[in-house]
Amino acid sequence: MTIRELAARLKQYDEQEARSIVRLLLYDCFGMTMTDICTGALEHLPNEDSKRLEQYMQRLEQGEPVQYVTGKTVFCGRVFHVEKGVLIPRPETEELCELIINGNTVAAPRILDIGTGSGCIAITLASELPHSTVSAWDVSDDALRIASGNADNMKVHVAFEKKDILKVCNDGCRNFDIIVSNPPYICDKEAADMEPHVLCHEPHLALFVPDNAPLLFYRSITMFAKDKLTTVGKLYFEINPLYSKEIQELLKANGLQDITLHQDQFGRQRFVSATAY
């Protein structure tokens, strides 16, 4: 048994990506380095490990993302637990965190992450801005369980709450210096162009909005943020580039200023920031 043979089973990926997935699986689940593999470690797996590897390979063959199979992913240099029920954090969202960290000018910012998922944004900001007070909301019990576990594992304090931004009332909520969200922003009509391993396995609740309401979450969050951000408080969104103009117009119509689009590493308009006055 070789990496080439294992990778050949993952026919939905090209050869290079399939090999990378197998190497990640072997390292995360069996602790195998490339040196181990090159010196025959695969040929000497104990019987129980061989059975476990076969189970994992069958899941990968069915298109399940390797991060769900291994139960982990790296985000901003930290290992997060992920499983079905939360979106797998993307590299672009790391850039969103960097944007917030580099742009922060408040000594002890009060931060709210709306739609926290695995907790990757909230935990990263709490870790990198050590005097911050971070709250994180999600409507999903699974997401809150996973995010809370990640925070506990990293010994970072984040106040997690079950809240639906589409229904939340402003009354009783304290003010925030930073509000950030990577909300669902893919329209249903875009599903046909998505990779099957994303479409079939990652939570639709965290991905999709109706075709007739592409700004559904942006509108609710903006309405909330305009009243609850402190003076010169900042709102940050990860966005669908298809609706960058409409999101800018939405922010402007609600009185936010300094509206700025930011490109991701691939040159796409992926983030927007705005300031409350």
Side-chain angles (χ1 to χ4, degrees):
M1 179 169 51
T2 65
I3 278 191
R4 181 187 291 273
E5 291 169 340
L6 292 173
R9 294 172 58 176
L10 307 182
K11 302 185 186 303
Q12 65 271 54
Y13 303 103
D14 63 42
E15 182 179 357
Q16 184 175 354
E17 187 173 7
R19 287 192 179 206
S20 295
I21 288 170
V22 172
R23 284 197 297 267
L24 183 62
L25 176 73
L26 293 173
Y27 181 77
D28 280 352
C29 294
F30 302 94
M32 283 191 198
T33 65
M34 277 306 298
T35 300
D36 295 327
I37 295 166
C38 291
T39 54
L42 271 171
E43 299 297 329
H44 300 94
L45 270 179
N47 190 48
E48 285 302 312
D49 284 347
S50 293
K51 290 180 180 177
R52 193 156 55 98
L53 175 58
E54 177 57 29
Q55 292 170 352
Y56 294 155
M57 287 301 302
Q58 288 178 11
R59 291 170 64 181
L60 292 175
E61 285 179 289
Q62 293 167 8
E64 188 172 347
V66 66
Q67 294 91 340
Y68 287 159
V69 176
T70 66
K72 64 182 73 172
T73 192
V74 176
F75 183 88
C76 287
R78 296 175 178 85
V79 179
F80 284 79
H81 169 66
V82 291
E83 60 184 75
K84 288 186 177 182
V86 295
L87 196 67
I88 298 167
R90 267 53 174 187
E92 295 90 332
T93 308
E94 294 184 328
E95 297 179 65
L96 175 60
C97 290
E98 292 170 5
L99 189 65
I100 296 169
I101 293 163
N102 294 335
N104 177 59
T105 59
V106 180
R110 292 165 294 179
I111 301 171
L112 174 62
D113 173 25
I114 298 175
T116 196
S118 65
C120 61
I121 293 175
I123 292 168
T124 298
L125 296 180
S127 300
E128 297 296 328
L129 300 171
H131 299 294
S132 60
T133 302
V134 182
S135 301
W137 296 353
D138 208 291
V139 71
S140 163
D141 289 325
D142 281 341
L144 291 170
R145 170 181 57 81
I146 293 164
S148 296
N150 280 325
D152 289 343
N153 290 339
M154 297 180 209
K155 297 179 171 54
V156 173
H157 178 70
V158 175
F160 293 102
E161 295 182 75
K162 184 175 183 178
K163 285 185 181 288
D164 184 347
I165 190 58
L166 301 181
K167 300 176 181 177
V168 72
C169 175
N170 285 355
D171 294 342
C173 294
R174 62 190 177 86
N175 290 339
F176 298 95
D177 300 297
I178 297 170
I179 294 177
V180 56
S181 185
N182 177 17
Y185 60 63
I186 301 171
C187 290
D188 291 329
K189 63 186 178 185
E190 297 178 73
D193 297 324
M194 296 179 66
E195 295 289 343
H197 64 273
V198 175
L199 189 60
C200 297
H201 294 277
E202 298 200 54
H204 284 209
L205 180 67
L207 289 169
F208 292 104
V209 287
D211 291 339
N212 63 355
L215 304 187
L216 177 66
F217 289 95
Y218 295 105
R219 183 168 286 108
S220 291
I221 295 167
T222 298
M223 295 292 289
F224 177 83
K226 71 175 185 176
D227 293 328
K228 291 305 170 184
L229 279 170
T230 56
T231 302
V232 300
K234 301 282 288 187
L235 173 62
Y236 292 89
F237 283 134
E238 185 167 328
I239 67 170
N240 185 335
L242 294 175
Y243 296 100
S244 60
K245 182 179 178 181
E246 290 85 349
I247 292 171
Q248 290 179 88
E249 292 172 349
L250 171 67
L251 293 168
K252 183 177 180 180
N254 281 279
L256 281 88
Q257 300 181 37
D258 302 333
I259 300 164
T260 306
L261 282 172
H262 307 269
Q263 293 184 341
D264 64 18
Q265 61 185 310
F266 304 108
R268 294 175 297 205
Q269 294 178 333
R270 181 62 68 187
F271 317 109
V272 65
S273 60
T275 306
Y277 284 93

